[in-house]
Amino acid sequence: MNTEFNENPHRRFNILTGEWILVSPHRTKRPWQGKTEKQSLETKPKYDPNCYLCPTNGRMGGAVNPDYKKPFSFVNDFSALLKDVKEETYTKGLLHAQSESGICKVVCFSPDHSLTLPLMSKEEITDVISLWQQEYNELGAMDGINHVQIFENKGDIMGCSNPHPHGQIWAQRSIPQEVQKKSDRLLAYWNENQTSILEDYIKQELALNERIIIENEHFVSLVPYWAVWPYETMIAPKRKIAHIGELSTEEKKAFAEILRKTTIRLDNIFETSFPYSAGIHQAPTDGKEHPEWHFHMSFYPPLLRSATVKKFMVGYEMFANPQRDITAEQAANTIKALSDVHYSKQ
């Protein structure tokens, strides 16, 4: 990057959404007298009798978990979406509404209550990806399910209600707005160039090697040029793969490997269990062909200055557009320099 851009305010364009972000690298020099959080040093047990996600334990809805040994999924006892909702619309002048239906599932990554993804083995994470594939295929094949969103909220500051390693899947009738924005951009580029915009972007990033964190034969982990969150990262396959159901056995292992190494490095930034929201964007399951789609997994972590200082989206970010204080290149260099060995095992 031009030195001036790494030192002075500028805007960057997100090719996947068509939106801009303000970058203000000079602001990292300002003193901080804002809110800090106490770092949690609590060690979790392998099994918690009070955890509703641990094997053999009862859940709040009355069901009892099996004595599962590998990743386990179930319909959320307190789903945001319900399956049998009559399809209706409402219009009155400028007021519009429509019913929504779907299925919400919980995915327990491991029976071990003490683990997180960076503390799991490549083989264990491969099992998680296999379950994600199964759920995407099964849910996406259901009538009335046009999109399957796989995501994880890690850490209580990200709204995670249970520390047991788990994520969620929301499958629904409509295609969510963030996905639709990307679909439109991906399709426009595909129609014009007959190539994937993300595949072309990855090739450029690999050639420049300014924001690459790690790569293997099939996947790359990088800080996107247009990243919003301080240490935002993205994992994507090098070849155009529309959704995780298309991953070969070797690609699935490669995905697990780079997912593990990326989350280890995030934990190592401030030597803490790094909070984030992570999600996979992939082709809708609406029965249409989607040659434009190239799946990717994004991590949005809120920590900026230390393990106890969070980046909030407030003020200008809420009323104007996103803004960040460190450049994507600075963040990538920080993450890239870290070890692949988790700080707790060094």
Side-chain angles (χ1 to χ4, degrees):
M1 283 288 292
N2 185 301
T3 303
E4 292 297 315
F5 275 102
N6 267 317
E7 295 179 356
N8 294 319
H10 60 278
R11 296 201 306 159
R12 297 192 184 191
F13 185 68
N14 185 332
I15 60 172
L16 297 180
T17 64
E19 298 170 343
W20 291 87
I21 172 177
L22 175 64
V23 184
S24 311
H26 59 290
R27 276 168 55 87
T28 55
K29 301 174 184 178
R30 77 188 195 279
W32 178 259
Q33 292 181 313
K35 182 179 176 59
T36 62
E37 304 285 349
K38 291 184 179 181
Q39 185 176 357
S40 174
L41 302 176
E42 179 184 3
T43 301
K44 294 184 293 184
K46 289 182 175 294
Y47 169 75
D48 183 349
N50 297 312
C51 170
Y52 59 82
L53 298 183
C54 278
T56 73
N57 286 359
R59 301 202 301 269
M60 293 296 290
V64 177
N65 297 325
D67 189 14
Y68 63 95
K69 306 299 182 184
K70 288 195 171 185
F72 163 63
S73 63
F74 61 90
V75 176
N76 196 321
D77 298 315
F78 302 95
S79 295
L81 296 165
L82 299 176
K83 186 177 180 181
D84 298 315
V85 176
K86 183 179 178 182
E87 192 167 352
E88 295 181 301
T89 59
Y90 170 83
T91 298
K92 188 174 183 179
L94 296 176
L95 309 180
H96 305 279
Q98 58 183 205
S99 59
E100 182 65 300
S101 60
I103 301 171
C104 295
K105 303 195 79 170
V106 175
V107 179
C108 296
F109 297 157
S110 169
D112 190 333
H113 184 81
S114 68
L115 296 180
T116 55
L117 285 176
L119 296 175
M120 294 168 62
S121 68
K122 183 176 79 172
E123 292 72 25
E124 290 170 327
I125 297 175
T126 301
D127 288 338
V128 174
I129 295 171
S130 294
L131 184 52
W132 284 343
Q133 287 182 307
Q134 177 184 325
E135 292 288 355
Y136 175 86
N137 290 329
E138 291 180 357
L139 291 168
M142 292 181 177
D143 291 338
I145 297 298
N146 294 313
H147 182 262
V148 178
Q149 180 62 61
I150 299 170
F151 66 98
E152 178 197 4
N153 292 321
K154 178 175 176 245
D156 54 5
I157 69 170
M158 300 306 293
C160 183
S161 61
N162 188 303
H164 193 99
H166 75 284
Q168 297 184 57
I169 301 176
W170 290 18
Q172 63 191 100
R173 181 190 300 150
S174 67
I175 298 176
Q177 290 184 131
E178 283 300 305
V179 179
Q180 190 60 60
K181 282 190 292 187
K182 290 188 176 183
S183 286
D184 293 343
R185 299 283 305 175
L186 290 166
L187 183 58
Y189 190 89
W190 176 266
N191 288 338
E192 183 176 349
N193 302 282
Q194 292 300 296
T195 59
S196 156
I197 190 172
L198 196 51
E199 188 174 25
D200 288 349
Y201 168 71
I202 288 171
K203 288 177 182 177
Q204 183 176 352
E205 285 286 26
L206 287 170
L208 292 172
N209 196 26
E210 293 180 339
R211 289 164 290 275
I212 300 295
I213 301 171
I214 44 177
E215 64 171 308
N216 57 30
E217 182 180 358
H218 299 291
F219 278 82
V220 62
S221 175
L222 54 83
V223 176
Y225 179 75
W226 54 82
V228 172
W229 294 93
Y231 292 101
E232 178 178 330
T233 60
M234 180 173 71
I235 297 173
K238 293 179 178 178
R239 77 175 180 96
K240 184 179 74 65
I241 302 175
H243 55 78
I244 59 172
E246 295 181 349
L247 289 171
S248 68
T249 299
E250 287 306 309
E251 287 170 333
K252 187 163 58 175
K253 292 177 181 177
F255 185 20
E257 176 187 46
I258 209 160
L259 178 53
R260 179 175 179 270
K261 288 183 177 181
T262 297
T263 53
I264 284 175
R265 287 168 184 257
L266 290 177
D267 274 12
N268 285 349
I269 294 174
F270 298 126
E271 296 192 353
T272 190
S273 185
F274 212 71
Y276 58 69
S277 279
I280 297 175
H281 276 165
Q282 53 194 328
T285 58
D286 54 4
K288 301 177 183 178
E289 294 293 327
H290 288 285
E292 76 281 6
W293 257 97
H294 190 141
F295 101 82
H296 51 285
M297 184 174 190
S298 298
F299 293 80
Y300 300 157
L303 300 184
L304 171 60
R305 293 169 174 260
S306 72
T308 61
V309 178
K310 294 180 290 188
K311 162 69 175 179
F312 292 94
M313 289 294 175
V314 296
Y316 183 85
E317 292 96 341
M318 295 178 70
F319 293 99
N321 62 239
Q323 179 271 338
R324 64 181 282 129
D325 288 352
I326 61 173
T327 66
E329 297 74 41
Q330 291 167 334
N333 287 335
T334 296
I335 303 172
K336 188 174 184 178
L338 296 167
S339 172
D340 283 337
V341 179
H342 196 268
Y343 72 90
S344 66
K345 299 179 180 179
Q346 293 178 15

